[in-house]
Amino acid sequence: MPQPFQCILYCSLLKEVQTNFIISACGPLIYTFDAYNGNLLSSWPNASKVCESPATEFRSPTEHSGPSTQVLESVVGDVEPQVKRRKLSQVDSSFESASTEILTEGHDTKNHGSRPSSSLPPVVIKLLGSSSGEYVIAVTGENKCIWVFRLSVDGSLKQLSARHMPKRPCSIVLTTDETNILCADKFGDVYALPLLISEADQKGTSSDLNYALTSQKNEASPTEFVPTASSLTVHTKKNQEALKNQQRASSKATKRTMVDFDHQLLLGHVSLLTDLAYITLATGNSDNTHIRSYILTCDRDEHIRVSRGLPQAHVIENYCLGHSDFISKLCVPPWNQKLLISGGGDDHLFVWDWLSGIIIEKIDLRNSVDRWKQEYRSKTVQEDQKTEIGVQDGAIADQKIAVSGIWAVETSSSDDTPEPSNFRLMVTCEGLPALLFYSMDSEGHVESRSIYETKGNVLDATILAGQNTIIYTMDNVHLPLSTKTPRNPEKRSSLPWIGYIDLGKWQSKESVLDGTVGTINECMSGQDANNDLQDGSLAALQELLYGIDNLRKRGQEE
């Protein structure tokens, strides 16, 4: 049974005729669905061998170097280095012409505790689309690669480039003119690289998926590391232990990533970066107006930094300080780009005037979430479904907030005149089967709050521009309110992968999206419900879906 969609994206391709697509990432695969009827149009990799029926099956590999837990049983390409081929199982007749083998490095896959193989495709951790819908950008985590695709009118994805960054990307955005990609990585740096590369730079990028699967084998020869300290110069217990660890590592190969494509280092933090935003504002008066861009970055150490955009990214305008825990998400609402909403491990969302670094309002998350959890649990117990929730008595107060997503939603009114109630914030938290909505005015002050219940923990969401509709993905593997406890395998196949909400009607009443969402769920659910995840695969899936709370510093006071 396929794992949940960890990423989802809505794209409107503006060419001769506007065509709308729903693009989702499921493990290492990217699916393209028709947004009108929900039909599966293509998948990447191996987009030419897409199954026309809902029989595209995943298996849970027992070994993997990253958080991916499942791999499509299809051809991933002939890899040049000779490696052991191991056949997993027979697949549906529609795949009889395709190979059902997965390449491994000769490790024994029967041992779930052995070290993962690095020959499986890395999982997709980010999806981003251009405003025209022509380009789709994906990030794969284990090989630190940024992929750029061209979206065709038939829904297929044509790979244009694959660039391996020095460190693992954690967030990507496009500049206002959509000519450059800004990439923030886990090392604290922000790079700028062109969206489209020239033919001269093509040699510095991967041309296909095979490079991603074998890049680790083709790296530069490692240089042996030799510690400069010795037992004669180190005396304290902690330093002696550190020296032993360095000596153990001296025999291991040091991997070096060769970056030979066009890129520019813009700025850096001294902490792990978590998100970034790119804003362009018109400043000055009517007689003297000039355009200035800004880069907003946040990190694990509770800092939000405001830097100038290209080409003056080294200039720091100011900081927004006030968080007491890590910051995971930033959101600049389109109706007032001088506002910034930030959230993470704190019990509040912060609304900022980011140009001056002033807090406009703090939105209480903890109290509203805890109250809703109590009501949700009481309702579930009354319906005799106590075993189908992942939190017990007394555990709700112990759960901390970890904001996984913030979106600004501007709904259209009947007379096409925006009103304060048309501005909403949508917030998701790890392990929460609900969407949190906050109506606010144009100055950033909250007017009302509401919570929309879902059938599973919300993982990601995308906004259908101009349709007052949101499509969200759900975790059908773990119990609601839990990031660790799995569901009963027999009940997983009946649970949806995605859902939607019409903000104009609030409830999901009859809509054209009923057929679209239903077809996508049917396509993904036509699998063997007894194909259960192994313990190792379940742990890897948990790491993929729920990694934000790991940003919380260990040893912090409760």
Side-chain angles (χ1 to χ4, degrees), residues 399-456:
Q399 293 182 326
K400 294 186 176 182
I401 295 292
V403 174
S404 57
I406 305 176
W407 294 266
V409 185
E410 185 175 0
T411 58
S412 58
S413 57
S414 57
D415 57 357
D416 295 330
T417 302
E419 299 176 0
S421 59
N422 295 121
F423 302 144
R424 290 188 177 98
L425 285 181
M426 184 178 71
V427 182
T428 59
C429 298
E430 279 194 341
L432 188 66
L435 299 170
L436 310 177
F437 289 92
Y438 298 89
S439 297
M440 62 192 323
D441 60 24
S442 59
E443 299 302 321
H445 300 289
V446 174
E447 297 180 333
S448 63
R449 299 168 174 83
S450 53
I451 299 180
Y452 178 80
E453 179 182 328
T454 62
K455 296 182 179 180

Side-chain angles (χ1 to χ4, degrees), residues 265-331:
L265 177 62
L266 300 181
L267 57 93
H269 282 227
V270 294
S271 179
L272 186 152
L273 275 179
T274 55
D275 202 6
L276 83 160
Y278 190 84
I279 310 299
T280 300
L281 293 178
T283 59
N285 51 41
S286 57
D287 297 330
N288 185 18
T289 302
H290 60 278
I291 304 298
R292 173 164 290 176
S293 298
Y294 300 88
I295 301 174
L296 280 60
T297 50
C298 62
D299 60 30
R300 186 187 182 189
D301 287 341
E302 309 98 35
H303 302 142
I304 299 174
R305 191 166 93 181
V306 180
S307 307
R308 289 189 184 179
L310 296 170
Q312 296 180 316
H314 60 281
V315 178
I316 301 175
E317 290 287 339
N318 62 278
Y319 287 88
C320 298
L321 304 178
H323 282 271
S324 59
D325 213 321
F326 68 87
I327 307 169
S328 56
K329 292 296 175 182
L330 299 176
C331 177

Side-chain angles (χ1 to χ4, degrees), residues 520-545:
I520 295 175
N521 287 327
E522 180 183 357
C523 176
M524 301 304 296
S525 63
Q527 309 300 321
D528 182 9
N530 294 320
N531 181 21
D532 196 13
L533 293 170
Q534 302 295 332
D535 291 341
S537 300
L538 190 61
L541 180 62
Q542 177 190 342
E543 181 183 353
L544 170 63
L545 302 180

